[in-house]
Structure formats: structure tokens, C-alpha cells
Amino acid sequence: MKIHRRNSRTFLLIILGMLSAFGPFMTDLYLPAFPELMEYFGTTTSLIQLSLTFGVIGLAAGQLVIGPLSDKYGRRRPLILSLTVFVVSTLICLLCRDVITFICFRLLQGIAAAGGVVISRSIAVDLYEGKEFTRFFAMLSAVQGLAPIVAPIAGGLLLGITDWRGIFAVLLLIGVAILAAAFRFRESLPEERRQTRSVLATFANFRSVLGNKHFVCYMLIQSFAMGVLFAYISSSPFIFQTEYGLTPVMYSVCFAFNGLAIMTGNLIVPRFGSEERALGIGACCLLIASLVLAVCLMGGWSVVAIEIGFLVLLFCVGMVLPTSTSLALALERKNSGNASAMLGFFQFTFAGLV
């Protein structure tokens, strides 16, 4: 423990878990409403997809701005400011009448949501170290890993009882709830540990972070693991429903089990005793599982074999993501905002490319 913890562990786990899941929910919750949005705005599929692209760009680029600012001004003020901007931009998205305005405020929404993602990791670095940091971060990563899988399912369920505005109203309520909780959050970065140089000099710390070869190695491992996760998210509907003829309900069941595999992989990490060992085993198993699953897919194996392959693959992803992230952040505790920003930027850039 590095400083006196003034918020309870339960409160921190809840608010940081919500913040870490914030980005994926912002991008994925409204995906099932794409056809309805296209009809409402009277526009093309490409422009509606562009709203997703701009949201991901904002989510990636916003972390590069908010991360360094949180190193200079502390975590609480940038967090409250970004959540306030998120609430306002979400409200404007709800009231939009034309698609261009909608796309522009999706970009702003993404930038604001980036604050929650990047600052949640930095707060964990501020408050925990050693095995306590490993355990806490594993639980945080379990939430973050499940969010991209749960969000589209939740969006589909919401679309059954409401329209696209209802989905954005839920996003608005989530933003307001987290903003209210943020006012209860007590600063985790004391003034004596903040960056004392100018704002521009704080941004220059990116150079020293990227100069750390071990950090860059862990960052690339994390980014490629996220690429595997988003390759699964983007392709699994076609694999299970188009190629194997599963019903939407059965596909959702498979999706849920695969989400549990990620969570199990996250939560098993502390049992290895060493994060380096867990990462090494997880990365090797991920490579083997990827190759075996590729052979099964190309060979047209049964859907049961394919699902077992995905379970193993995503279990390994669940081991790699928290260990690579926590090991990277542990190397750059003095620049944790910058380091967290770089991790988030590359993570969502890889996800967007996939």
C-alpha cells in the first residue's frame, strides 16, 4: 500500500469496475440499433458505421490527452470533468436530428469516456502494489474483459423493449450514476507525487514511456491479445449463426459461456504466484489454442469442437490481458497516467483495426 486508502475497497472495486467497462459499453451497447438508426436519420449504412469509428477514435485518442493531465492535476478533477462532458454529449446524441451532428458528438462521447478508462487504471496503480495490486487488477480486468461481450447482448435485450433512444438513455443514466459516485471518490494521487512541470512537458513523458523496452513489449502483448478478443467478437456471429446455423438464443448462450471463460482466466492469475509466470503460460497456451482453433475452423469441425476451442482461447486471453497490463504499469508508476494512456491507445487502436 502506497498511501492511506480513504475509500473502501468495495467502493473502489465498484467504481473502477464501472469506469473500466465504460469504454466498451459506450461503443458496443448501441450496435444492435444500427438498422433503426439508419432508418431514423434517413442515411446510409456507412455513415452509421462511421459513428462507431469516431467513437473508437475518441476513445483511443482521448486517453493520450486525459492520462497525462491526470498525472499533473490528480485523478479526481479530470475524472469529474470527463464524466460531465460524457453526460452532456450523450444527452445531445439523444436529441440529434441529423446524422453529422450525431457522429460529431459520438466523437466527443468517446473522448469523454476515455477519461474513465485511463484514470481507472491509474487509480489502481496509485493505491495498490505487489500481490494486492495483482489481485485487484485481475478483478478489474475481469470486468473490462466481459464488457465488450456483455454490451451487445444487453443492447439487443434493450432493443426488444425500447428504441435507440432508450439505449442512449441507459448510457446517460450510467454516466450520471458514475458521475455521482465520482464526487464521493477521494483523490488517490497526492500533490507531492504529481508532475510539477508544465502541461506540455507532461505530454513529453510519452517519449520516456515508449523508451522503456520492457513496457513496450508488455504493451504489444496486451494489444495483440485484444486483437484476438475483438477478432472473436466481430466474427463469431457469422461463424455460429451463418456457418453453423445456430439460433440467436443459442448463439447468446455460447457468447455468455465464452465471457465466463475470460473472467475465469482473469481470476486464476493470482494462483500462479508470479505474474511473469502466468503471462508466459497464458501466452504460450494462447498461441497453441489459436493454431488448433484455426485448424478446426478450416477443417469444418463440429460446432461443439469449435465452441470448446473458443472457450480455451478466451480463457488464455483472460490470463494474458491483466498480467501484461499490470506488469507494464508496474514499470512506469511515476508516469502511470501516460503509461495507462499508451496502453489504452494501442489497445483500442488494435481493436478498431481488427
Side-chain angles (χ1 to χ4, degrees):
M1 186 73 60
K2 299 177 73 174
I3 63 172
H4 177 63
R5 193 166 72 241
R6 290 168 292 178
N7 287 116
S8 71
R9 182 185 175 89
T10 302
F11 173 80
L12 287 170
L13 185 59
I14 292 171
I15 188 172
L16 296 188
M18 293 174 73
L19 288 171
S20 64
F22 208 28
F25 261 81
M26 190 277 300
T27 57
D28 297 351
L29 189 67
Y30 84 124
L31 293 182
F34 270 21
E36 187 178 311
L37 280 165
M38 188 173 66
E39 183 180 346
Y40 175 81
F41 287 118
T43 187
T44 62
T45 304
S46 298
L47 279 175
I48 297 301
Q49 289 174 332
L50 198 60
S51 72
L52 175 62
T53 303
F54 270 57
V56 173
I57 289 171
L59 197 56
Q63 296 186 58
L64 296 179
V65 177
I66 298 170
L69 290 177
S70 74
D71 276 345
K72 181 168 179 61
Y73 297 109
R75 315 301 184 198
R76 189 173 184 270
R77 282 188 293 172
L79 177 61
I80 290 174
L81 178 61
S82 63
L83 288 171
T84 302
V85 173
F86 178 85
V87 168
V88 173
S89 58
T90 305
L91 181 60
I92 294 174
C93 283
L94 261 170
L95 302 175
C96 279
R97 296 290 184 180
D98 66 280
V99 70
I100 301 301
T101 305
F102 181 74
I103 291 171
C104 291
F105 279 95
R106 279 290 295 171
L107 175 64
L108 186 60
Q109 200 182 29
I111 293 171
V117 177
V118 69
I119 291 174
S120 65
R121 289 192 294 259
S122 299
I123 292 171
V125 175
D126 294 339
L127 297 176
Y128 299 102
E129 60 184 15
K131 290 184 177 180
E132 191 176 13
F133 175 66
T134 302
R135 286 194 296 268
F136 189 88
F137 207 85
M139 288 186 286
L140 206 59
S141 297
V143 176
Q144 189 173 17
L146 277 175
I149 291 177
V150 171
I153 297 176
L157 293 173
L158 283 170
L159 205 58
I161 57 175
T162 184
D163 58 7
W164 72 270
R165 283 196 182 89
I167 290 175
F168 274 81
V170 169
L171 277 176
L172 179 64
L173 290 174
I174 291 172
V176 170
I178 302 176
L179 177 60
F183 279 101
R184 285 194 56 202
F185 171 71
R186 296 176 182 177
E187 182 58 63
S188 63
L189 185 67
E191 290 190 15
E192 62 270 18
R193 285 177 46 211
R194 296 178 191 176
Q195 294 288 340
T196 54
R197 297 182 295 170
S198 68
V199 173
L200 289 178
T202 302
F203 284 101
N205 287 337
F206 281 126
R207 195 180 337 178
S208 65
V209 170
L210 290 175
N212 187 329
K213 294 181 180 178
H214 288 94
F215 174 88
V216 172
C217 181
Y218 289 134
M219 181 178 70
L220 290 174
I221 291 171
Q222 182 223 48
S223 299
F224 280 112
M226 280 297 291
V228 172
L229 175 60
F230 275 80
Y232 159 75
I233 291 171
S234 60
S235 65
S236 61
F238 303 100
I239 293 172
F240 284 111
Q241 293 181 262
T242 304
E243 296 297 324
Y244 287 96
L246 264 62
T247 65
V249 173
M250 286 303 300
Y251 168 66
S252 298
V253 170
C254 292
F255 214 68
F257 273 108
N258 293 335
L260 289 174
I262 295 175
M263 179 180 284
T264 305
N266 290 155
L267 297 178
I268 203 172
V269 165
R271 295 183 177 273
F272 285 88
S274 151
E275 288 180 292
E276 290 86 353
R277 185 181 177 205
L279 178 59
I281 293 172
C284 290
C285 292
L286 180 58
L287 173 61
I288 295 169
S290 299
L291 293 171
V292 171
L293 183 58
V295 170
C296 293
L297 286 167
M298 288 187 291
W301 288 33
S302 71
V303 68
V304 174
I306 299 300
E307 172 58 12
I308 291 172
F310 273 124
L311 283 170
V312 176
L313 181 80
L314 294 171
F315 175 83
C316 297
V317 169
M319 290 179 60
V320 170
L321 284 177
T323 49
S324 58
T325 306
S326 60
L327 286 168
L329 289 173
L331 293 171
E332 292 289 340
R333 287 186 175 273
K334 290 182 179 179
N335 298 310
S336 59
N338 291 70
S340 180
M342 289 305 304
L343 288 173
F345 175 76
F346 276 91
Q347 183 184 73
F348 284 102
T349 299
F350 268 64
L353 287 172
V354 168

